[in-house]
């Protein structure tokens, strides 16, 4: 499902500009939405899933204008949504919770529901815990229940908002892989402030900063934003003052710094291949210069 | 709507907090009013199941609704507090039908302990007195004097916390319950004893038991009370007017809540 955003803005009460004139086309497949906290990712996602209305601009999803009642309903019929900080009813078991959401999503046939829920419990590896109450579940398990409920109707559009925050490294990797496998011919929109999540799962992405779209395209294009700007400096003296230090790793008696800078930060600096994180940081750096506020 | 009703009913019915709160209120109430244990339940008209059941209704209906209102109060807003609302609100099932489903399921489950106490006592009465008709009167009393008030305050307490926090709302609700339903109308301006009173006085004295002790003032305008224009003399017509008022208030409150929820999605 293709998502087309035109001049999308959202201003909250108190003149908080959460989105400032977004124009973006999101194709089918896995798509990353990267941005620091407060960039507007959740706001954008809540608009896409029909929880809040934009202040101005239009959203078309699979050809449906979501400003209209029918358009919104058509999208919600084929939507899976995993909100940021999903919660659950503590006294229901995982199975009963999924059953309730399935009913709300219009899976009326009991046998069909049971089959689908068993299938998904398998997918998210919760079959063993299915009949335990949700109050005993860890954050990662709740997230997996969350992805299972999002998949109940085999949606064409899957919107997941910061699903990896709060997961331990293993859970996180498992969860990312699960998402990638799900992409296939659906649109999976993954928001995160963790560059690595996008690097490991998406070919295309958009970057939001303070409500503006500062980049969209494929991962390679973002990486190349930092081309010829990444250096390593190994020194036992003070840290380089020119450029932005992205990492500092003790090495022998000195420290090896990774620095992003337009020109060599030090006479001994050696150029290095950039990664996605470098591209992102270079992008944010240049954005800070063009949009200081 | 049916799904929400079923799930909300089961979740509330299995909530331990609800049963604990009811147990506390019940303990307080039987400690204050021992007549719960005497067979004629304080009215002392021997061999009269109707009077006994009406007296039981008055007793149970005086304090138990406090627990009812307090336990209903967080059920709507907890969806947001728990973080489930985002998922529920993006299903194709409309907000309106989920609100009605929740209202019916939560209120039915929360009323269950009241029904248990009421009918439990009625059965004891029927068996002890050998008066099976008491069960008929018990059902009539519960349906006509207690249920209408529960229908109204269920709507009020379910949706009120959309505007203020559930804890503050509960305090206000308890104050409202004593002020608006239990105090003597002469004490201060109040809707107690009026057509807006959620206890079933009008139903009892207007329809079910109009024959009152002639030494007692008729149910209706209260000597020395303000707002007596809201207290017509009890009659069958007024009893049904009261019933209609309770239902209309419930519908109005739910409709307002529906509008409020729709407006919030901006
Ligand atoms: N309901 C709200 N009312 C007012 N401001 C909000 C609301 N939700 C988010 N904001 C503000 O909008 C901006 C974007 O927030 P959000 O979309 O949550 O960003 P992100 O998900 O990228 O962290 C932030 O400045 C945030 O404080
Ligand atoms: Mg967010």
């Amino acid at each position: 499902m293709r998502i087309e955003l035109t001049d999308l803005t959202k201003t909250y009460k108190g003149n908080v500009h959460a989105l400032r004139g977004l124009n973006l086309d999101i194709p089918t497949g896995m798509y990353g939405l990267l941005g620091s906290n407060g960039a507007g990712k959740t706001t954008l996602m809540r608009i896409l899933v029909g929880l809040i209305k934009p202040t101005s601009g239009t959203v078309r999803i699979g050809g449906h204008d979501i400003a209209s009642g029918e358009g919104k309903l058509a999208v919600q019929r084929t939507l899976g949504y995993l909100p940021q900080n999903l919660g659950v009813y503590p006294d229901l078991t995982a199975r009963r919770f999924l059953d309730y959401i399935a009913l709300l999503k219009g899976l009326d046939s009991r046998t069909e529901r049971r089959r689908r829920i068993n299938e998904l419990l398998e997918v998210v590896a919760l079959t063993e815990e299915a009949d335990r109450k949700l109050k005993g579940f860890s954050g990662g398990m709740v997230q997996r229940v969350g992805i299972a409920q999002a998949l109940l109707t085999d949606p064409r559009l899957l919107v997941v908002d910061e699903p990896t925050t709060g997961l331990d490294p293993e859970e996180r990797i498992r969860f990312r892989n699960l998402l990638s496998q799900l992409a296939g011919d659906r649109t999976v929109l993954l928001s995160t402030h963790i560059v690595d999540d996008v690097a490991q799962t998406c070919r295309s992405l958009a970057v939001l900063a303070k409500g503006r779209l500062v980049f969209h395209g494929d991962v390679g294009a973002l990486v190349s934003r930092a081309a010829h700007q990444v250096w390593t400096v190994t020194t036992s003296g003070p840290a380089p003052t020119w450029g932005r230090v992205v990492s500092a790793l003790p090495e022998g008696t000195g420290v090896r710094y990774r620095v992003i800078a337009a020109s060599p930060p030090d006479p001994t600096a050696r150029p290095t291949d950039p990664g996605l994180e470098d591209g992102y940081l270079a992008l944010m750096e240049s954005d800070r210069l063009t949009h200081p506020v | 709507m049916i799904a929400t009703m079923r799930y909300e009913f089961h979740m509330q019915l299995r909530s331990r907090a609800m049963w604990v709160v009811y147990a506390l209120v019940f303990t307080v109430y039987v400690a204050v009013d021992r007549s719960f244990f005497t067979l004629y339940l304080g009215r002392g008209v021997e061999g009269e199941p109707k009077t006994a059941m009406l007296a039981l209704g008055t007793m149970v209906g005086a304090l138990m609704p406090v627990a009812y209102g307090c336990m209903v109060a967080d059920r709507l807003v907890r969806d947001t507090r728990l973080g489930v609302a985002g998922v529920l609100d993006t299903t194709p099932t409309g907000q309106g039908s989920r609100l009605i489903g929740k209202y019916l399921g939560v209120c039915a489950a929360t009323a269950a302990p009241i029904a248990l106490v009421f009918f439990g006592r009625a059965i004891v009465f029927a068996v002890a007195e050998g008066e099976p008709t008491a069960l008929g009167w018990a059902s009539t009393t519960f349906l006509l004097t207690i249920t209408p008030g529960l229908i109204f305050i269920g709507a009020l307490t379910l949706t009120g916390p959309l505007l203020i926090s559930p804890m503050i709302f509960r305090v206000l609700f308890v104050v409202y319950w004593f002020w608006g339903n239990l105090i003597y109308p002469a004490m201060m301006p109040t809707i107690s004893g009026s057509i807006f009173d959620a206890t079933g006085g009008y139903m009892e004295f207007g329809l079910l038991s109009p024959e009152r002790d002639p030494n007692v003032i008729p149910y209706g305008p209260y000597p020395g009370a303000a707002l007596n224009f809201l207290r017509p003399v009890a009659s069958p017509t007024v009893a049904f007017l009261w019933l209609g008022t309770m239902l209309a208030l419930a519908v109005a409150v739910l409709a307002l809540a529906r509008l409020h929820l729709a407006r919030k999605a901006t």
Side-chain angles (χ1 to χ4, degrees), chain A residues 1 74-81 101-102 105-107 112-113 115-117 119-120 123 146-159 181-188, chain B residues 92:
Chain A
M1 272 188 136
V75 171
Q76 289 186 339
R77 284 219 179 86
T78 182
L79 168 76
Y81 172 47
I101 305 298
K105 289 189 173 187
L107 285 176
E112 176 62 20
R113 245 183 4 253
R115 191 190 59 74
R116 185 70 186 143
I117 288 169
E119 206 172 279
L120 286 170
V123 170
I147 201 73
Q149 68 75 26
L151 292 170
L152 279 165
T153 50
D154 196 10
R156 306 325 303 147
L157 173 62
L158 192 56
V159 176
Q181 287 158 17
L182 290 171
D185 58 347
R186 42 183 138 227
T187 301
V188 178

Side-chain angles (χ1 to χ4, degrees), chain B residues 17 21 66 69-75 77-78 81 157-158 160-176:
Chain B
V21 168
V66 172
C70 290
M71 295 328 288
V72 169
D74 72 331
R75 300 311 278 191
V77 289
R78 84 177 187 135
R81 180 171 52 79
T157 51
L158 185 69
L162 287 172
L163 302 178
I164 45 176
S165 86
M167 266 348 265
I168 297 175
F169 180 84
R170 285 177 176 134
V171 173
L172 293 178
F173 172 72
V174 173
V175 171
Y176 148 78

Side-chain angles (χ1 to χ4, degrees), chain A residues 10 12 46 49-53 72-73 76-77 79 81-83 85-92 95-97 99-101 103-106 110 113 149, chain B residues 1-8 10-11 14-16 75 78-79 81-94 98 102 262-266:
Chain A
K10 176 70 190 181
Y12 286 112
R46 287 170 66 83
V49 301
L51 282 176
I52 56 174
K53 296 192 183 97
K72 182 168 128 179
L73 201 60
Q76 289 186 339
R77 284 219 179 86
L79 168 76
Y81 172 47
L82 176 55
N85 308 322
L86 169 81
V88 288
Y89 292 122
D91 286 324
L92 291 185
R95 190 187 299 281
R96 300 260 301 154
F97 182 73
D99 184 65
Y100 180 33
I101 305 298
L103 280 164
L104 294 181
K105 289 189 173 187
R110 180 189 286 258
R113 245 183 4 253
Q149 68 75 26
Chain B
M1 187 187 103
I2 304 288
T4 307
M5 189 175 86
R6 260 183 44 208
Y7 270 89
E8 291 289 343
H10 285 294
M11 285 192 283
R14 288 183 197 156
S15 140
R16 191 169 310 147
R75 300 311 278 191
R78 84 177 187 135
D79 285 352
R81 180 171 52 79
L82 289 173
V84 193
V87 167
L88 303 179
D89 289 343
T90 51
T91 62
T93 303
R98 275 191 296 116
K102 186 183 274 270
R263 253 196 44 217
K264 252 186 21 182
T266 53

Side-chain angles (χ1 to χ4, degrees), chain A residues 41-42 84 161-162:
Chain A
K41 304 180 296 294
T42 297
Q84 185 171 10
D161 197 356
E162 306 239 14

Side-chain angles (χ1 to χ4, degrees), chain B residues 16 32 50 80 83 85 93 115 117 122 129 189-191 209 211 222 226 232:
Chain B
R16 191 169 310 147
V32 170
K50 180 174 92 173
T80 309
T93 303
V117 165
E129 293 291 299
T190 168
I191 56 171
S209 179
E211 67 283 354
Y222 202 93

Side-chain angles (χ1 to χ4, degrees), chain B residues 76-151:
Chain B
L76 182 56
V77 289
R78 84 177 187 135
D79 285 352
T80 309
R81 180 171 52 79
L82 289 173
V84 193
V87 167
L88 303 179
D89 289 343
T90 51
T91 62
T93 303
Q95 212 165 33
S97 64
R98 275 191 296 116
L99 178 66
I100 300 301
K102 186 183 274 270
Y103 168 69
L104 295 174
V106 164
C107 291
T110 317
I114 302 183
L116 192 72
V117 165
F118 181 86
F119 285 105
R121 187 63 185 83
I123 289 169
V124 170
F125 180 92
V127 171
E129 293 291 299
E131 286 275 14
T133 53
L135 295 182
W137 282 113
S139 307
T140 310
T141 301
F142 194 80
L143 190 71
L144 290 180
T145 70
I146 297 183
T147 311
L150 296 185
I151 287 175

